[in-house]
Amino acid sequence: MAKRLLASFVPEHYDLLIDINRKAKTIKGTTTIVGKAKETEIAVNQKFLQVSQVLVDGQPVPFELNQARETIEIKLAKQGPVTLTIDYQAPLTDTMMGIYPSYYDVAGERKQLVGTQFETTFARQAFPCVDEPAAKATFSLAIKFDEHPGETIIANMPEDHVTNGVHYFQETVKMSTYLVAFAFGEMQKKLTTTKSGVQVGVFATKAHQAKELDFALDIAKRAIEFYEDFYQTKYPLPHSWQLALPDFSAGAMENWGLVTYREAYLLLDPDNTALDTKRVVATVITHELAHQWFGDLVTMNWWDDLWLNESFANMMEYLSVDALQPDWHIWELFQTSEAPMALQRDATDGVQSVHVDVEDPREIDAIFDGAIVYAKGSRLLVMVRSLIGDDALRAGLKNYFAAHQYGNAKGDDLWQALGEASGMNIGAIMKAWLNQPGYPVVEAKVVDGYLTLHQKQFFIGDGQDQNRLWPIPLNANFKAPKLMEKADLDLGDYQSLRQAAGKPLRLNDGNNSHLIVKYAPELLDDILDHLNELDHITQLQLLQDLRLLAEAHQISYADLVGLLGKFKASQSAIVNDALYRIASKLRDFIVPNTPSETNLKQYFATLSADQTKRLGWKKQINDDFDAELMRPTILSAALYAEDSAAIAAAHALFKQHSAAKLPADVRALVLQNEVVNFGSGELFDQLLTDYQQTSDPSYKQDLCFALTKTKDTTLIGKLIDRFEDAKTIKPQDLRAWYRGLLANPAGQQAAWDWIRDEWDWLDATVGGDMEFATFITVTSAIFHTPARLAEFKAFFEPKVNTPGLTREIQMDVKVVETKVALVQAEAQAVNEAVTRMISK
Ligand code: BES
Ligand code: ZN
């Protein structure tokens, strides 16, 4: 393990004076660090800083910049208390890391809002510091900038005073460098106060309507009140600001007291936003606010325990929204987003475990794998919660915060607190889940009259079985032990168990354990015979597990085709989500513009026609929650099926409204229908201009969705031409455009050529960013033919040693290989099954 800087120098307080000039694009600063030297050779982090002078206790000393270690190295005369004063300069760049400007237009005028992004290791680009999460210290910020009237500046703490144009902020509590933040420019805001007296605010540029801030303000206030109660620990700062930044690389960032967001994840038009979008925005806000305690007040000791921050916040976002807004059924969203994401990625050999050893800064960014650290990690914590219950969870957390506040913790500290509160050795159970990659498939069979269970690791594609075992919370509805710890388990005489339970065998009831179940045919038939008695989560789980088994060649994909019809009348949004996820996968087995596609479209029609009639394009007075949520799922299927009534109805709706004012839940699909079936160059230009000009983030997303669906190659070329024009498509949004075109058979070649030709540009533009690797992920999620596989390997394999991309490339090659093999093995059977279903 590389030595940490904190081992030789412990900072206690920072005085930061930073002078930012937007016009000259420069940062000038003086950082004073009071701390203790434990050795005489010490170092502090810096990156891209030009250091002009280092003083030790007021005296200039020689120093060395080590660019590889990203440090300034200093020799001291003695150990003990020391004050370092460092003068430096740096360029202000558009990298969305460190201190950076965001760009936006108001009334045709280009403006800037400067903000910060310091996680993971970018504080060192703004000021010299020991940039390690365990190096907690207090900070006094003083910021100067080329200020003009009407501008404001905000930071982690309230402003204290302004002298000679320098804004001085109150000293912070002890915190990690990656959570320091400030922002300045022209902003609008809305404020409120929690019951306990915390000031809550939402800030945005003036390009937005004031009402777009209301939703976030309400959720943020109630979330803080909820957490103060749930954690039984007060919010420790005077204010909690939420700020939407026009340029933002991640989704949102939990800076203590000044949380920053992508505009799409904070602002929404309360009068026209889909329920689905509201739910997502609410979970982003509650995620970041969960971190204000879990992450900010108590921080992981090192990045290997990143899961401690992120998995936890990812569970809490659902737990809290469920408390704030029970009518949103937010745990259902967990089942349709986190669960499938985790189960898919975690089934590929070579995947990382939730807990990973990590040292190199570029590798630190690469461990933020949404499917693992977030989705799988939160699933594991849901499993813990269901094992110990909320009372023990709350009691344990209270003790955990009390023991580690303003300090750091490791995974074991959490297990200890939860173990004491619950009386269970929870750490022993969780280690197997956190430290091992992958998850088990539990096979249930009746052998000689006995019901037997067997666990083994589940792989999609080739996998090296290492005989891994997991302590599995079974959640069986038959008489069975709580935990299955060995490879095999005999539950006893099947007939008597079946009789005693009075219903078919179900394992992992509630879908809270991270595993899938493979029922032997007779057990599965028993379940399917009682389909209507199963709750929606169970139905979703059944479809989800079968889909994964089919992707792993353990059952035939063709069998799923017959099964979908049994679910097609379901009025549950999540069951339909699972159903159409499988149906969409069937597109991999056909060739566009051939009879196989015509047949599949017709199959989509048989699945969706009745529901399309039932739901229509407009909200209905008798709409329930599920009807509203599933309408887009069904209509999307209807458009694929080329349902002529649906196409005409969408067109009529388009004619009635201006594009932006279309009902938000179906807007993306209405626009898609227009672009694909009624499109013209004129319409296209108009929508692209709308994209550039609108400040409504969800309308922007809908436009991207629709425009990338065009089949017109001239227009596709026009789009590609805008990919590198940040005034049209911001780098933060480029991946969605690329993905959209790549998924469009008419646009795939152009998009694929673009990324290969422009890889160096992409690397230079978003290369330092942790989202960079996901350009590869989305490509592998789409490719499924031998030709594309060969091209994919030819292009990416030579890049396999690029830091931060290694695992992604290795895994994604396997992902495409596995799909190609599946399609080759099953295309004929699948197409035959589809033909059978439509001729019935
Ligand atoms: N701490 C992260 C943001 C982050 C991630 C910063 C990686 C630097 C590197 C933040 O709390 C987060 O998890 N954001 C998510 C959104 C969230 C709602 C799941 C994100 O950015 O994707
Ligand atoms: Zn987070």
Side-chain angles (χ1 to χ4, degrees):
M1 188 176 73
K3 193 173 161 190
R4 308 263 158 80
L5 302 188
L6 187 60
S8 40
F9 177 57
V10 184
E12 282 154 9
H13 179 76
Y14 291 78
D15 275 306
L16 303 178
L17 174 62
I18 306 179
D19 181 353
I20 298 142
N21 192 309
R22 286 166 289 189
K23 216 155 179 218
K25 294 203 162 292
T26 56
I27 300 169
K28 263 196 245 169
T30 302
T31 296
T32 305
I33 315 176
V34 179
K36 275 205 186 73
K38 294 181 155 179
E39 292 168 6
T40 52
E41 292 189 8
I42 67 166
V44 293
N45 287 115
Q46 65 76 31
K47 192 174 181 189
F48 305 140
L49 302 187
Q50 286 166 265
V51 177
S52 51
Q53 172 170 269
V54 176
L55 306 181
V56 170
D57 296 328
Q59 297 303 313
V61 295
F63 60 90
E64 238 171 85
L65 297 190
N66 183 331
Q67 303 302 4
R69 275 183 84 205
E70 302 181 353
T71 52
I72 309 171
E73 312 202 332
I74 304 160
K75 287 202 178 72
L76 303 176
K78 58 173 180 34
Q79 298 175 16
V82 59
T83 301
L84 305 176
T85 309
I86 302 169
D87 290 331
Y88 63 96
Q89 286 197 29
L92 178 68
T93 56
D94 296 340
T95 55
M96 299 190 275
M97 290 177 278
I99 303 169
Y100 71 93
S102 276
Y103 300 95
Y104 64 101
D105 296 315
V106 181
E109 197 188 331
R110 195 118 187 110
K111 307 226 175 203
Q112 289 186 29
L113 181 63
V114 171
T116 57
Q117 171 63 40
F118 291 166
E119 191 179 15
T120 48
T121 54
F122 315 134
R124 67 188 66 174
Q125 300 185 22
F127 56 89
C129 56
V130 177
D131 202 8
E132 297 171 358
K136 287 199 176 185
T138 52
F139 295 82
S140 297
L141 260 71
I143 313 282
K144 189 170 183 298
F145 58 103
D146 47 348
E147 187 171 354
H148 31 84
E151 294 194 300
T152 36
I153 174 159
I154 51 180
N156 304 90
M157 293 291 286
E159 189 174 272
D160 191 76
H161 63 279
V162 186
T163 307
N164 297 330
V166 182
H167 296 258
Y168 292 86
F169 292 88
Q170 292 175 21
E171 183 176 324
T172 70
V173 293
K174 264 184 97 175
M175 61 187 282
S176 306
T177 48
Y178 80 90
L179 294 167
V180 173
F182 60 85
F184 57 82
E186 289 171 17
M187 293 180 241
Q188 60 174 318
K189 64 174 185 243
K190 289 222 175 154
L191 304 179
T192 185
T193 309
T194 66
K195 279 189 256 175
S196 60
V198 179
Q199 277 232 57
V200 180
V202 176
F203 294 73
T205 71
K206 292 182 178 167
H208 297 276
Q209 306 176 65
K211 66 177 179 180
E212 289 176 49
L213 283 61
D214 293 339
F215 178 83
L217 189 66
D218 173 57
I219 296 287
K221 168 178 181 282
R222 292 197 289 139
I224 291 174
E225 290 170 349
F226 170 80
Y227 287 131
E228 286 195 321
D229 174 58
F230 191 86
Y231 293 147
Q232 295 172 69
T233 306
K234 263 198 64 65
Y235 178 81
L237 307 183
H239 70 220
S240 171
W241 297 156
Q242 330 298 316
L243 165 66
L245 286 171
D247 289 287
F248 199 79
S249 116
M253 175 65 213
E254 70 267 27
N255 315 302
W256 214 357
L258 173 51
V259 184
T260 46
Y261 299 82
R262 264 182 191 231
E263 295 186 328
Y265 286 145
L266 188 69
L267 309 174
L268 59 84
D269 178 351
D271 300 324
N272 190 22
T273 295
L275 177 56
D276 202 29
T277 311
K278 287 188 181 167
R279 294 204 300 177
V280 170
V281 170
T283 56
V284 176
I285 298 169
T286 53
H287 175 107
E288 303 310 335
L289 292 177
H291 275 313
Q292 304 299 298
W293 288 261
F294 218 97
D296 296 2
L297 180 62
V298 180
T299 309
M300 75 240 144
N301 197 59
W302 181 247
W303 298 105
D304 63 335
D305 269 328
L306 172 71
W307 68 272
L308 199 56
N309 268 11
E310 297 302 346
S311 310
F312 198 86
N314 223 48
M315 170 178 73
M316 289 309 294
E317 69 187 59
Y318 292 91
L319 202 155
S320 60
V321 170
D322 196 40
L324 300 184
Q325 211 68 52
D327 55 325
W328 283 350
H329 308 281
I330 205 74
W331 285 110
E332 293 192 352
L333 180 65
F334 189 82
Q335 293 294 350
T336 55
S337 62
E338 315 288 347
M341 208 199 310
L343 290 166
Q344 191 78 38
R345 177 125 169 137
D346 205 22
T348 299
D349 205 7
V351 69
Q352 71 187 42
S353 49
V354 173
H355 176 274
V356 256
D357 290 324
V358 62
E359 285 298 334
D360 185 313
R362 285 168 302 190
E363 294 296 335
I364 295 173
D365 289 337
I367 63 176
F368 278 80
D369 182 332
I372 300 302
V373 172
Y374 289 75
K376 177 181 179 181
S378 60
R379 233 167 119 66
L380 299 186
L381 290 172
V382 165
M383 199 162 88
V384 170
R385 181 185 178 213
S386 82
L387 279 171
I388 69 174
D390 269 356
D391 289 344
L393 178 65
R394 293 179 65 173
L397 286 177
K398 184 181 177 194
N399 293 339
Y400 174 81
F401 289 126
H404 304 288
Q405 57 183 342
Y406 306 107
N408 298 79
K410 297 187 171 170
D412 283 343
D413 297 317
L414 178 66
W415 302 136
Q416 190 177 342
L418 297 183
E420 278 168 15
S422 66
M424 285 175 78
N425 189 352
I426 204 79
I429 300 174
M430 292 319 291
K431 284 217 175 106
W433 291 96
L434 288 165
N435 294 334
Q436 301 190 103
Y439 63 90
V441 50
V442 176
E443 296 176 340
K445 275 190 208 151
V446 181
V447 184
D448 301 331
Y450 289 92
L451 179 57
T452 65
L453 306 183
H454 174 70
Q455 64 158 304
K456 64 171 195 242
Q457 187 170 357
F458 178 70
F459 292 109
I460 297 179
D462 291 338
Q464 210 154 24
D465 202 330
Q466 306 192 15
N467 298 318
R468 292 191 172 108
L469 288 179
W470 288 266
I472 297 177
L474 279 175
N475 291 317
N477 65 348
F478 279 24
K479 190 167 177 296
K482 224 177 163 174
L483 280 183
M484 171 174 180
E485 303 192 67
K486 303 229 168 77
D488 293 286
L489 182 64
D490 186 342
L491 291 180
D493 180 60
Y494 172 65
Q495 283 311 336
S496 28
L497 285 163
R498 174 69 176 84
Q499 213 156 29
K503 48 186 156 190
L505 171 71
R506 295 264 313 111
L507 299 173
N508 195 13
D509 209 8
N511 204 21
N512 287 329
S513 298
H514 184 56
L515 54 98
I516 62 170
V517 185
K518 183 179 182 185
Y519 297 100
E522 62 181 297
L523 297 170
L524 181 61
D525 287 343
D526 192 14
I527 295 175
L528 291 173
D529 287 345
H530 295 81
L531 203 53
N532 295 332
E533 294 152 37
L534 302 178
D535 61 48
H536 296 150
I537 289 195
T538 303
Q539 293 188 28
L540 161 144
Q541 180 186 16
L542 203 60
L543 286 172
Q544 181 168 275
D545 289 8
L546 289 170
R547 173 175 59 78
L548 292 160
L549 289 167
E551 285 181 34
H553 294 249
Q554 295 202 27
I555 61 171
S556 162
Y557 234 100
D559 292 345
L560 292 185
V561 175
L563 200 63
L564 293 186
K566 289 192 197 295
F567 296 84
K568 71 174 184 188
S570 170
Q571 299 201 0
S572 153
I574 62 169
V575 174
N576 277 282
D577 183 281
L579 188 166
Y580 283 100
R581 216 179 267 262
I582 296 178
S584 297
K585 284 267 176 189
L586 298 178
R587 297 187 197 190
D588 284 357
F589 296 92
I590 57 112
V591 182
N593 308 315
T594 66
S596 63
E597 185 177 46
T598 317
N599 289 344
L600 185 60
K601 286 184 174 226
Q602 185 149 11
Y603 176 59
F604 267 64
T606 65
L607 290 175
S608 63
D610 292 347
Q611 302 252 35
T612 306
K613 283 200 202 83
R614 176 173 79 88
L615 294 165
W617 287 86
K618 291 191 190 145
K619 268 205 182 77
Q620 296 166 17
I621 12 170
N622 59 348
D623 262 7
D624 60 5
F625 173 84
D626 278 279
E628 193 175 343
L629 272 187
M630 69 188 270
R631 178 171 286 118
T633 311
I634 298 295
L635 293 176
S636 165
L639 289 184
Y640 181 68
E642 297 176 16
D643 179 322
S644 53
I647 290 174
H651 186 48
L653 198 57
F654 180 80
K655 292 278 167 208
Q656 279 167 26
H657 295 83
S658 69
K661 294 266 156 53
L662 285 161
D665 58 337
V666 295
R667 184 171 50 204
L669 295 170
V670 173
L671 294 173
Q672 169 193 336
N673 182 54
E674 225 38 47
V675 167
V676 174
N677 297 320
F678 305 91
S680 62
E682 236 166 283
L683 173 76
F684 193 87
D685 289 344
Q686 178 212 320
L687 294 180
L688 197 56
T689 309
D690 262 19
Y691 180 84
Q692 252 178 300
Q693 291 178 351
T694 182
S695 60
D696 178 343
S698 103
Y699 181 41
K700 256 180 130 85
Q701 286 172 347
D702 293 346
L703 287 164
C704 165
F705 176 89
L707 286 168
T708 52
K709 297 271 187 310
T710 180
K711 292 185 180 142
D712 183 325
T713 45
T714 318
L715 300 179
I716 287 168
K718 265 190 168 178
L719 273 189
I720 298 262
D721 287 343
R722 300 292 189 98
F723 273 22
E724 291 167 43
D725 164 22
K727 286 198 174 146
T728 306
I729 300 175
K730 284 174 173 287
Q732 65 169 17
D733 298 322
L734 185 52
R735 196 190 58 209
W737 285 91
Y738 165 70
R739 189 207 341 228
L741 267 195
L742 198 74
N744 170 357
Q748 186 166 96
Q749 191 63 46
W752 179 224
D753 288 343
W754 171 78
I755 202 166
R756 287 181 295 177
D757 292 344
E758 298 301 306
W759 186 259
D760 292 341
W761 173 85
L762 194 66
D763 191 4
T765 312
V766 293
D769 186 307
M770 75 269 172
E771 305 271 299
F772 183 45
T774 57
F775 276 89
I776 311 175
T777 327
V778 301
T779 308
S780 74
I782 290 166
F783 284 177
H784 57 270
T785 63
R788 289 292 187 228
L789 170 62
E791 292 167 2
F792 186 88
K793 283 172 132 177
F795 185 67
F796 285 117
E797 278 180 344
K799 301 182 171 35
V800 74
N801 292 324
T802 314
L805 297 187
T806 306
R807 187 189 338 257
E808 198 55 51
I809 292 174
Q810 285 167 344
M811 285 198 45
D812 290 342
V813 166
K814 280 191 208 161
V815 166
V816 186
E817 273 172 355
T818 305
K819 276 192 287 177
V820 169
L822 181 69
V823 170
Q824 274 175 343
E826 297 239 20
Q828 197 185 345
V830 167
N831 282 302
E832 283 168 9
V834 167
T835 313
R836 268 198 308 280
M837 293 319 291
I838 57 176
S839 48
K840 257 195 186 167

